[in-house]
Amino acid sequence: MTLHDPEAVDLAGPDGAGRVPGRSPQGAERTAAAPSDAPSHSASAETPRRAPGPGGTTPADPADTPDPVGTAPAPAEPKPKPKARKRSRRPALLTTALVTALLLLALLSAGVGAYDIPLGDVLASVQYHLGLGGAPLDRVGESVLWNVRLPRVVLALLVGASLGCAGALMQGVFGNPLAEPGVIGISAGAAVGAVAAIGLGLSFFGNWTITVCAFAAGLITVGSVYFLSRNGGKTEVVTLILTGIAVNAFAGALIGLFVFFADSGQVNQITFWQLGSLAQATWPKVLAVLPCALAGLLVAPFYSRRLDLLALGERPARHLGIDVERLRLALILVVALLTAAAVAVAGVITFVGLLVPHLLRMANGPGHRFLVPGSALAGALVLVAGDLAARTLAQPAELPLGVLTALLGSPFFFWLLRRTRRKQGGWA
């Protein structure tokens, strides 16, 4: 006798076929005859069942589970990154910091020296002279502040802003990070013009004679360096530096020649131009250099966008509608004007135009919209601080300002050369 399980399935059936394992014939017939099962089956075929989530629950949103067919959901709109917002606010923050530091340092420099004036008294005297209240100082304090200190501070502001802005423009025009008015000989060339005016006793423009001669000599120098350093339509860094070395040597020879034929008084003045100093600052000198410096500083920011396009290369800049030769010629004139204005009253002060734009470029990037005016502010800040250090570090003596900036700028320039060579894999 054979036991038969009623749930067992006969694979052959009564006629040897037609049964489904695990289901009775009556259940199979009812399943096939049920009209409501067809749409349910097709719906389940079109929409795959989702696996239950944790705890046996099924996610409510289909977008929460990956599509097995491979169609990904539409990506969400990207949210603004915090770093991008911080970077967009960085120029405003840097400008505010530079202006605040410059004002505080200028007031401090006006009060510190052999005759100390408290900061509150400086503010009170400035307010009194501007008609905003305050109170004047005593006779000695007024004379020291308004005839010695403030002309020197204002002159340091103008000279530093001119050198910093000129350095940023030079690096943009030549398309390399090592261009600077002093390094490629513009400062030395402008000094030759000023020394020639002193040695020859020229006075055909009155107080403007030295400025005009320095401007003309600086223009000739920068034009010579620009054309001599170009090769195949490009300005190479090595050629630029070597040309600047040759121009500096030639300018030094001319200055030595004027010293040889000059008298003792002229020798002292020529030595002043070679070392660089603001010790002889007066209001007439400030007024003599003010138009040239303001003209260059006001015109320079209008070329920021074109300098950004020129940084892409000469050919892309031409395709974007930039007249490269006219742009470079205009900026060379602006650089010569700024450098001549600085050299005419302060002598040769090097490395400010090289160091300042690089520090700002490291802080905010290479965009000239901030770099050009920011270099003017930072250059003014550096020179006011340098002049304060020059007249207070070795009291009662005074260090030459050009010597102090060269002592600080030369190591930075050497590090910059090594860094550029390492990135380029050599000069060859």
Side-chain angles (χ1 to χ4, degrees):
M1 179 177 179
T2 305
L3 297 177
H4 180 73
D5 188 357
E7 296 296 329
V9 180
D10 186 2
L11 295 178
D15 53 357
R19 295 202 179 177
V20 180
R23 184 176 297 178
S24 63
Q26 292 82 4
E29 291 175 0
R30 290 193 212 98
T31 304
S36 59
D37 289 347
S40 174
H41 177 72
S42 64
S44 63
E46 293 175 3
T47 305
R49 296 183 62 184
R50 297 185 299 274
T57 60
T58 303
D61 188 3
D64 293 340
T65 58
D67 192 350
V69 180
T71 57
E77 295 184 1
K79 297 180 181 179
K81 297 181 179 180
K83 289 184 179 180
R85 288 197 297 267
K86 289 181 181 179
R87 185 171 297 178
S88 64
R89 293 195 301 264
R90 188 175 297 175
L93 295 176
L94 288 175
T95 302
T96 304
L98 287 174
V99 171
T100 304
L102 187 59
L103 291 176
L104 293 177
L105 189 60
L107 292 174
L108 180 65
S109 180
V112 174
Y115 185 87
D116 287 330
I117 303 175
L119 184 60
D121 293 345
V122 174
L123 289 173
S125 180
V126 172
Q127 290 175 354
Y128 174 77
H129 284 272
L130 294 178
L132 301 176
L137 303 175
D138 55 45
R139 184 176 61 85
V140 177
E142 285 286 307
S143 177
V144 170
L145 179 62
W146 290 94
N147 296 330
V148 178
R149 298 276 175 79
L150 286 181
R152 187 162 183 164
V153 171
V154 174
L155 200 60
L157 292 174
L158 292 175
V159 172
S162 299
L163 293 177
C165 184
L169 293 179
M170 284 294 298
Q171 293 173 10
V173 168
F174 286 95
N176 66 78
L178 300 178
E180 192 262 345
V183 172
I184 63 174
I186 301 177
S187 297
V192 169
V195 168
I198 294 172
L200 299 177
L202 303 178
S203 60
F204 47 84
F205 283 112
N207 291 334
W208 296 80
T209 303
I210 296 178
T211 303
V212 171
C213 292
F215 171 74
L219 181 62
I220 294 173
T221 303
V222 70
S224 302
V225 172
Y226 172 71
F227 289 109
L228 290 175
S229 60
R230 288 180 65 83
N231 183 20
K234 297 180 181 180
T235 305
E236 298 178 355
V237 175
V238 177
T239 307
L240 187 70
I241 295 175
L242 294 177
T243 305
I245 292 173
V247 170
N248 277 318
F250 184 71
L254 291 179
I255 291 174
L257 191 63
F258 281 113
V259 169
F260 179 77
F261 289 105
D263 56 26
S264 59
Q266 292 173 342
V267 168
N268 292 334
Q269 287 183 290
I270 291 173
T271 304
F272 160 76
W273 296 113
Q274 288 180 303
L275 298 179
S277 176
L278 297 175
Q280 301 180 10
T282 58
W283 286 118
K285 287 190 175 183
V286 172
L287 295 178
V289 75
L290 184 63
C292 298
L294 284 183
L297 293 174
L298 292 176
V299 169
F302 291 99
Y303 291 94
S304 299
R305 179 179 173 275
R306 279 171 276 187
L307 283 174
D308 288 337
L309 296 178
L310 184 61
L312 302 174
E314 291 189 17
R315 184 173 297 177
R318 288 192 180 96
H319 285 306
L320 293 172
I322 302 298
D323 190 341
V324 176
E325 296 303 324
R326 180 178 297 180
L327 173 64
R328 284 184 169 167
L329 180 61
L331 290 178
I332 284 173
L333 291 173
V334 173
V335 169
L337 183 64
L338 291 171
T339 306
V343 172
V345 295
V348 179
I349 299 177
T350 57
F351 291 103
V352 175
L354 174 67
L355 185 143
V356 167
H358 277 287
L359 294 178
L360 292 182
R361 197 176 286 111
M362 293 175 183
N364 189 68
H368 289 85
R369 186 176 180 180
F370 168 77
L371 184 62
V372 173
S375 296
L377 291 174
L381 180 65
V382 167
L383 211 64
V384 170
D387 182 61
L388 178 61
R391 60 186 177 84
T392 56
L393 289 179
Q395 286 183 342
E398 181 175 327
L399 296 174
L401 183 57
V403 174
L404 188 62
T405 58
L407 285 175
L408 297 177
S410 298
F412 180 82
F413 181 66
F414 176 74
W415 170 80
L416 190 62
L417 280 174
R418 299 281 297 179
R419 178 173 177 265
T420 304
R421 182 180 181 182
R422 194 182 307 114
K423 281 190 173 184
Q424 293 181 354
W427 296 120

